[in-house]
Amino acid sequence: MNPWWRSTVAGARLEAALLLRAPLLLVFAVVQAVVFLVLVTLFGLTGSRAPTALIQLDHSAYADAFVHSLERAHHSFDLRPMSAAEAQDRLRSGELVAAITIPAEFTSTIRSGGTLPIPVDVDNVDVDLTDDIQRAVPSAIAAFGRELHLPQLRVTVHETDVIDHDTGYVPYLTVSALALDAFVLAALLAASSIAREWETGTIKLWRLSPTPASAWFVGKLAVVAAVAMVATGLTGFVVVAGYGVRPRDPLACVATLAGCVAIGASCGGWLGMVVRRTAVILPLVFGLALPLYLDSGTLEPERFDGDVIWSIAHVSPVYYAVGLLERAWHGLRVTPEPVWLNVVALAGFAAVTAVAALRSLRRARLR
Amino acid sequence: MLRDVTLEVRRGEVFGVLGPNGAGKTTLLDVICGLVPASAGEVTVLGQVRGSRDAGLRARLGVLSQETALYDELDAMRNLRLHASLFAVADAPARIEELLRLVGLWDRRTDRVGTFSGGMKRRLAIARALLPDPELLIFDEPTIGVDVEARHAIWQYVRWLRAQGRTLVLTTNYLDEAEALCDRVAILKNGEVVTVDTPKHLIARAGRCVDVDCPDALASAVRRRLSDAPEIVRVESRPGGLTVFTGDHDSHVERIRELVASEIGDVRVDVRAPALAEVFELLTSAPPR
């Protein structure tokens, strides 16, 4: 075996032995990935199911059809039928976001072609939720008019979908969360693994050995990346089996996540070389990763958030990863850049971070 | 930082590097090992000029750094196996057994290193340094932080290595250790070599020590009196009297007797060779009196 391979294998064996002697770390790595998925899911759920009272004073077929339209309005209501008095009570106590009243004269007014105000009481404590209600009610009215072919209804929307299928908000979020999971896990494990070599002084061993230190570095990071990939894979399994969100192109999903892991491991290795202290790794990685995550098309395609934010997003590898993952998982195009450009960008990030890490290893002064 | 350091270590000798903290001892070893590049000059190790691509040379060195740099989570065997694989040690299992037996850790070979005492860790690190059968051994403070028993055990290994004809460079803060183990020593101060010699010659070069017994109340007067004499190199206080350093001449000793007698009358005066610790103090501290 030549010295390079000897050192790579030794580094990999060492890292595997160290990780196996810290089984809790492995468990926490997986738990952390799943917890992050849950966090994102909760974020999606809390924003998309606003508790809204439905005060239905008319129980005719027209009124029921309108309620049905309200229920189908995307990302808006969790309709809860109740009396007007109870609705006012709960609205004031903060248990409801809004109360929609279907007046008793709903059917008669529609039949006669008259104009009927639909009373909506909104707790405008958060303007975002208020906006959601304001958008959703006309949308539901339009859908209601279209379904019942009401010629006298003045609001008409002719909706043509760009994509031939709808994607739920939670499934959209969870897939992009996987990209960040892969980055964060790989970066954390890699940075901790390298930083501890500095803390214990064992980095000297590698520099003093006749084999190339870069090979040892690669061997260690390879094992770390494998662990991060397994943890990300398990989280992906939760998304598929637990959430029922199936990928359209599983191979592309795995390849994208592997790219994310490779970049995360390289970044982490470089960070470990520079920071040299395990205690600061965790806050640093999370501190760096979360803004990149939020500005990477995670919550919605970044191009909808304005030119400046969209431009900034291009410096983050998560942007390209989310672009690739949403396409591979849901068949969505969330970045204007073509797939090949996203792939090239990810490969470029991986190469640049790997070179930076190896360069810092070669140049590191041990004293 | 090192300045104008010129040293030559002979094959087969145990060479000690002494100096106060911050003198540059560890930096010197790091330069020899290739961990720190020399900003100027040339370092030749085992006949090979130190460069950045000297993997062949690294294979001929055995280094024991100040921090033992062992993996606490792994057992002793695995620590040595890792090193053996990096250095491509032939017949590694037999060599590991031989060295673990040598340092008395064979019975603890499957125990996690984290459970070892400081002395045991040092012994294991020595075994690791010896694993590739190196031509040159470099030990940075090999007995720092270990108890007396472990210290003497490490001395035994060093003596054994010398008997084997190995070349060994070591740094130490313990002067008795340098006196007991080293063929020659270099004394460093502020990154410069103050002197290089055998411990025996250094002691001889330092002249004589004259211990003067006198009551503490009179000591400062005697000290003042002695400080004026050109024959006297240095005067130090000690419990119950003074220690006076002077050149290696009987006349100097006589002069000290006279000066003391003139100040406080006849007192007991003992003449002896200085200890290496006193020589070290003489060479590394601020000038006399």
Side-chain angles (χ1 to χ4, degrees):
Chain A
M1 204 188 288
N2 74 30
W4 207 92
W5 278 112
R6 209 167 66 227
S7 187
T8 307
V9 171
R13 277 193 182 154
L14 167 72
E15 193 57 34
L18 292 174
L19 284 172
L20 286 172
R21 272 158 188 75
L24 269 183
L25 179 72
L26 291 177
V27 171
F28 286 146
V30 176
V31 167
Q32 182 206 312
V34 175
V35 164
F36 190 72
L37 180 75
V38 171
L39 172 84
V40 168
T41 306
L42 289 173
F43 173 79
L45 287 174
T46 51
S48 66
R49 304 288 293 162
T52 304
L54 176 69
I55 305 150
Q56 195 172 349
L57 305 178
D58 179 347
H59 291 279
S60 70
Y62 272 112
D64 288 345
F66 181 54
V67 170
H68 185 58
S69 296
L70 285 172
E71 281 170 343
R72 286 190 308 163
H74 280 315
H75 177 44
S76 300
F77 311 131
D78 174 20
L79 286 178
R80 297 172 184 183
M82 61 185 75
S83 70
E86 187 186 357
Q88 286 306 319
D89 255 12
R90 294 180 66 178
L91 196 59
R92 283 199 194 88
S93 67
E95 292 173 57
L96 297 173
V97 169
I100 300 172
T101 305
I102 300 175
E105 62 277 20
F106 184 84
T107 303
S108 58
T109 309
I110 285 192
R111 276 192 181 139
S112 66
T115 301
L116 178 76
I118 302 286
V120 179
D121 299 300
V122 179
D123 180 354
N124 54 342
V125 67
D126 177 347
V127 76
D128 185 48
L129 288 174
T130 313
D131 289 346
D132 274 355
I133 301 289
Q134 281 174 351
R135 278 194 295 264
V137 172
S139 158
I141 292 169
F144 165 71
R146 187 175 60 233
E147 276 172 25
L148 297 186
H149 307 290
L150 297 173
Q152 65 273 44
L153 203 72
R154 294 194 179 88
V155 180
T156 62
V157 174
H158 180 71
E159 181 181 319
T160 306
D161 291 333
V162 174
I163 302 162
D164 62 0
H165 60 282
D166 286 338
T167 304
Y169 193 46
V170 170
Y172 182 93
L173 285 178
T174 50
V175 168
S176 52
L178 283 177
L180 191 72
D181 256 348
F183 274 111
V184 170
L185 267 178
L188 269 181
L189 291 172
S192 307
S193 162
I194 299 302
R196 77 173 293 290
E197 298 281 347
W198 282 99
E199 286 178 337
T200 55
T202 43
I203 191 123
K204 268 191 181 180
L205 285 185
W206 300 92
R207 288 285 292 267
L208 288 168
S209 89
T211 56
S214 57
W216 150 82
F217 191 73
V218 169
K220 273 179 82 77
L221 293 195
V223 170
V224 158
V227 171
M229 196 62 206
V230 169
T232 308
L234 286 172
T235 315
F237 177 75
V238 171
V239 171
V240 174
Y243 290 47
V245 183
R246 296 180 190 285
R248 291 184 162 215
D249 186 348
L251 205 62
C253 292
V254 171
T256 306
L257 289 174
C260 295
V261 164
I263 298 169
S266 299
C267 283
W270 174 75
L271 209 60
M273 287 300 300
V274 174
V275 174
R276 303 178 184 184
R277 291 281 176 277
T278 49
V280 293
I281 294 292
L282 189 75
L284 198 59
V285 169
F286 272 103
L288 290 173
L290 284 177
L292 293 179
Y293 172 66
L294 292 174
D295 187 27
S296 298
T298 307
L299 310 179
E300 62 191 351
E302 202 59 53
R303 62 182 189 276
F304 299 152
D305 290 333
D307 286 344
V308 176
I309 294 177
W310 181 55
S311 303
I312 294 169
H314 284 79
V315 302
S316 159
V318 188
Y319 171 80
Y320 306 97
V322 167
L324 286 172
L325 264 189
E326 291 291 1
R327 175 175 281 272
W329 214 291
H330 294 306
L332 301 176
R333 183 173 178 179
V334 298
T335 62
E337 293 82 9
V339 170
W340 69 265
L341 194 59
N342 285 339
V343 171
V344 168
L346 273 190
F349 270 105
V352 167
T353 50
V355 168
L358 290 173
R359 204 175 147 85
S360 61
L361 172 69
R362 202 169 51 245
R363 293 183 153 200
R365 303 211 38 148
L366 293 185
R367 308 194 65 236
Chain B
M1 196 208 262
L2 299 173
R3 276 191 292 265
D4 298 328
V5 172
T6 303
L7 288 173
E8 190 180 275
V9 179
R10 295 165 196 154
R11 201 172 278 273
E13 77 175 341
V14 176
F15 188 90
V17 181
L18 308 179
N21 287 337
K25 303 185 295 289
T26 301
T27 305
L28 176 63
L29 293 198
D30 284 350
V31 170
I32 297 170
C33 295
L35 289 173
V36 174
S39 53
E42 194 176 81
V43 181
T44 305
V45 180
L46 298 169
Q48 209 174 317
V49 178
R50 260 268 173 234
S52 59
R53 295 182 183 279
D54 44 12
L57 183 56
R58 287 200 294 268
R60 298 163 69 194
L61 302 182
V63 180
L64 171 68
S65 55
Q66 251 182 61
E67 60 285 272
T68 48
L70 295 159
Y71 290 97
D72 280 356
E73 301 90 333
L74 307 182
D75 61 37
M77 284 285 273
R78 201 177 265 271
N79 266 284
L80 294 191
R81 263 194 232 132
L82 168 72
H83 207 64
S85 67
L86 291 176
F87 280 78
V89 173
D91 195 12
R95 179 82 180 138
I96 289 170
E97 181 177 344
E98 178 194 342
L99 289 169
L100 282 176
R101 286 191 189 283
L102 174 76
V103 297
L105 290 173
W106 177 248
D107 293 340
R108 301 289 304 269
R109 64 188 179 281
T110 54
D111 290 351
R112 276 182 54 239
V113 171
T115 64
F116 286 11
S117 67
M120 289 162 78
K121 285 183 180 178
R122 285 263 152 205
R123 279 148 55 196
L124 182 61
I126 289 174
R128 185 183 58 193
L130 296 175
L131 201 53
D133 201 11
E135 292 167 57
L136 172 62
L137 286 151
I138 296 169
F139 286 5
D140 192 3
E141 311 224 6
T143 57
I144 195 167
V146 301
D147 60 25
V148 177
E149 198 181 334
R151 195 166 167 227
H152 284 115
I154 291 169
W155 284 18
Q156 287 304 318
Y157 305 139
V158 172
R159 287 189 178 119
W160 177 79
L161 289 167
R162 183 167 57 182
Q164 303 259 311
R166 306 295 175 104
T167 310
L168 203 150
V169 180
L170 63 84
T171 66
T172 180
N173 271 331
Y174 304 117
L175 295 156
D176 57 335
E177 186 165 290
E179 205 170 352
L181 300 177
C182 299
D183 298 310
R184 288 193 305 145
V185 295
I187 294 179
L188 283 188
K189 185 187 171 187
N190 296 331
E192 292 180 60
V193 176
V194 177
T195 189
V196 181
D197 214 330
T198 62
K200 200 173 162 184
H201 282 154
L202 276 178
I203 290 167
R205 269 168 52 189
R208 294 187 196 182
C209 271
V210 181
D211 290 328
V212 178
D213 287 346
C214 68
D216 290 348
L218 300 174
S220 55
V222 174
R223 190 183 182 124
R224 262 197 311 277
R225 182 93 172 128
L226 290 169
S227 297
D228 295 336
E231 300 88 348
I232 289 162
V233 178
R234 185 186 179 91
V235 182
E236 280 186 359
S237 300
R238 62 175 176 79
L242 298 167
T243 298
V244 186
F245 295 84
T246 183
D248 190 13
H249 297 286
D250 291 342
S251 61
H252 292 173
V253 176
E254 278 315 307
R255 178 74 180 135
I256 290 167
R257 280 186 209 277
E258 283 168 18
L259 289 169
V260 172
S262 70
E263 192 66 33
I264 56 170
D266 281 341
V267 289
R268 190 177 156 191
V269 168
D270 290 326
V271 183
R272 62 176 173 83
L276 186 59
E278 288 167 324
V279 176
F280 178 81
E281 185 69 18
L282 209 57
L283 291 169
T284 57
S285 52
R289 313 177 184 195

